[in-house]
Amino acid sequence: MTIVLTGCYSDFEPDIDSTPVVCINANAKVGEVLKIFATRTWRWTEINQDEGADIQLKDGEVSLYVNDELFEVLHYSEWDYHDPKYSWVNKQCGFLSSYYPQPGDKIKIMAHSPLYGDAEGEVTVPFPVEINEVESLVSDLDVCQEGNTVLYRANVSLGIRFTDPLDITNYYLFESNLNTYESSFHDTRVVFDYNSEPLFTEHVSSLESVISETSGYTVFSDRMVSGKTYPLHIRLNEIEYRVSSENGFESNKSYIRFALNSISESYYRHVFPFGKATTASTVYWETLDLLTRYGNAVMCQQEPV
């Protein structure tokens, strides 16, 4: 049996009176200068196919308060952004401050536009929660020679242990990524599997878990672990580490980065476009050490970000 589905569409512009309003978006991260993006709301029909919609508040003014005191008044500007992951430089525009958020700071942002009005919001930067240790179990380890290269394969189960502070409600965002040096001599791959950690699905109901895709979430609260020491369960599947036997291991710069971010309640709930605040404890785990020492993970560096 063959089923053929066809359809058509047309542009539809509802006759609804709407007045643009000011929106604020800012990510207050410890150790990074605060960038504030103040724009206006817009409708899809405003978009120019070549240039898009001009939504920047170029005539606007942003007042930044830190701990209930005026820190500075900002105006629209453009600047170069150097992405640490890549070599190229991007252009950014908005309201660039000179303020570097610190844990415990109360930040308030007030934006004013002569045309679109005012908006404001505030957030308190959370304190970082340290990663105490990383426990690991390596399985299915295989080492083979392929010409002038050595190929390592393995699966790894991790317990990333942290202690949740008891005195306040905490919210977290766990992140992991592979930073790899790749050339014709070196290559590293890994599949991150978060499905074995129940905290990542605390917000998912039994019905949702049956009828929809619920994997891949790494945002959670301390509702189930308040005041306790707990190991996050993470699996690294299908790890492949390839290195030239001629050049040796010392030139490989691959590592796996784990970050346990403390986030604000507003960030957790995604209620407002502003008010995102994060601090983090970071562990760098050398891929080479992981495979050559058969799972004795080394905490190479831990620092607030």
Side-chain angles (χ1 to χ4, degrees):
M1 180 177 66
T2 302
I3 299 177
V4 179
L5 300 177
T6 61
C8 60
Y9 70 91
S10 62
D11 293 333
F12 171 66
E13 172 60 24
D15 186 16
I16 300 175
D17 184 28
S18 62
T19 302
V21 296
V22 176
C23 296
I24 304 173
N25 192 357
N27 190 349
K29 189 172 183 179
V30 173
E32 295 185 5
V33 68
L34 181 64
K35 305 173 197 175
I36 302 169
F37 302 95
T39 60
R40 65 167 178 84
T41 56
W42 53 277
R43 302 185 69 168
W44 181 259
T45 51
E46 293 182 55
I47 295 178
N48 181 296
Q49 292 185 355
D50 297 325
E51 300 179 0
D54 185 5
I55 61 174
Q56 305 296 329
L57 298 187
K58 296 180 179 179
D59 60 347
E61 183 177 270
V62 169
S63 299
L64 173 63
Y65 291 81
V66 179
N67 298 324
D68 298 321
E69 294 185 3
L70 179 63
F71 186 87
E72 59 187 341
V73 177
L74 305 171
H75 296 88
Y76 177 86
S77 63
E78 298 181 356
W79 63 88
D80 291 335
Y81 171 65
H82 299 262
D83 193 319
K85 294 183 180 180
Y86 307 100
S87 58
W88 58 76
V89 177
N90 294 322
K91 285 285 187 181
Q92 287 189 336
C93 58
F95 298 80
L96 181 62
S97 76
S98 60
Y99 164 66
Y100 288 79
Q102 298 299 317
D105 280 357
K106 180 182 176 182
I107 303 171
K108 184 176 182 179
I109 301 171
M110 302 179 67
H112 171 72
S113 167
L115 186 58
Y116 303 111
D118 303 294
E120 66 177 67
E122 63 182 55
V123 67
T124 299
V125 181
F127 286 88
V129 174
E130 291 188 354
I131 296 175
N132 298 334
E133 62 177 330
V134 179
E135 303 166 344
S136 62
L137 176 64
V138 176
S139 60
D140 306 314
L141 179 64
D142 179 59
V143 183
C144 63
Q145 185 86 23
E146 294 183 350
N148 292 328
T149 64
V150 179
L151 176 63
Y152 294 82
R153 293 191 182 97
N155 296 317
V156 180
S157 297
L158 298 176
I160 301 177
R161 192 175 296 274
F162 71 100
T163 301
D164 177 77
L166 182 62
D167 54 340
I168 59 173
T169 301
N170 297 285
Y171 302 90
Y172 300 99
L173 166 64
F174 178 77
E175 295 179 298
S176 58
N177 57 71
L178 171 66
N179 287 40
T180 179
Y181 169 80
E182 294 189 18
S183 70
S184 58
F185 304 109
H186 302 90
D187 193 11
T188 308
R189 292 184 175 87
V190 63
V191 177
F192 295 101
D193 181 2
Y194 308 115
N195 294 332
S196 58
E197 178 46 63
L199 292 186
F200 294 159
T201 55
E202 64 169 9
H203 59 286
V204 179
S205 68
S206 300
L207 179 60
E208 287 176 315
S209 65
V210 173
I211 65 175
S212 63
E213 175 60 46
T214 58
S215 62
Y217 294 98
T218 58
V219 176
F220 62 99
S221 72
D222 66 354
R223 182 179 61 184
M224 298 166 58
V225 296
S226 179
K228 300 177 182 178
T229 298
Y230 181 83
L232 292 174
H233 301 89
I234 310 296
R235 282 190 57 83
L236 309 178
N237 294 330
E238 303 174 22
I239 295 177
E240 289 190 1
Y241 178 90
R242 189 188 310 269
V243 64
S244 169
S245 57
E246 295 179 348
N247 289 37
F249 293 105
E250 56 276 359
S251 60
N252 194 329
K253 303 176 183 178
S254 298
Y255 61 88
I256 299 171
R257 175 182 178 271
F258 302 108
L260 181 61
N261 299 275
S262 298
I263 61 176
S264 61
E265 182 179 1
S266 58
Y267 197 177
Y268 175 79
R269 300 189 183 283
H270 295 278
V271 175
F272 302 107
F274 64 86
K276 301 179 180 179
T278 65
T279 57
S281 289
T282 304
V283 172
Y284 295 93
W285 197 16
E286 296 291 350
T287 312
L288 171 60
D289 187 83
L290 162 67
L291 296 180
T292 57
R293 296 179 184 270
Y294 300 90
N296 294 324
V298 172
M299 191 178 299
C300 299
Q301 183 175 355
Q302 182 167 310
E303 60 183 13
V305 176

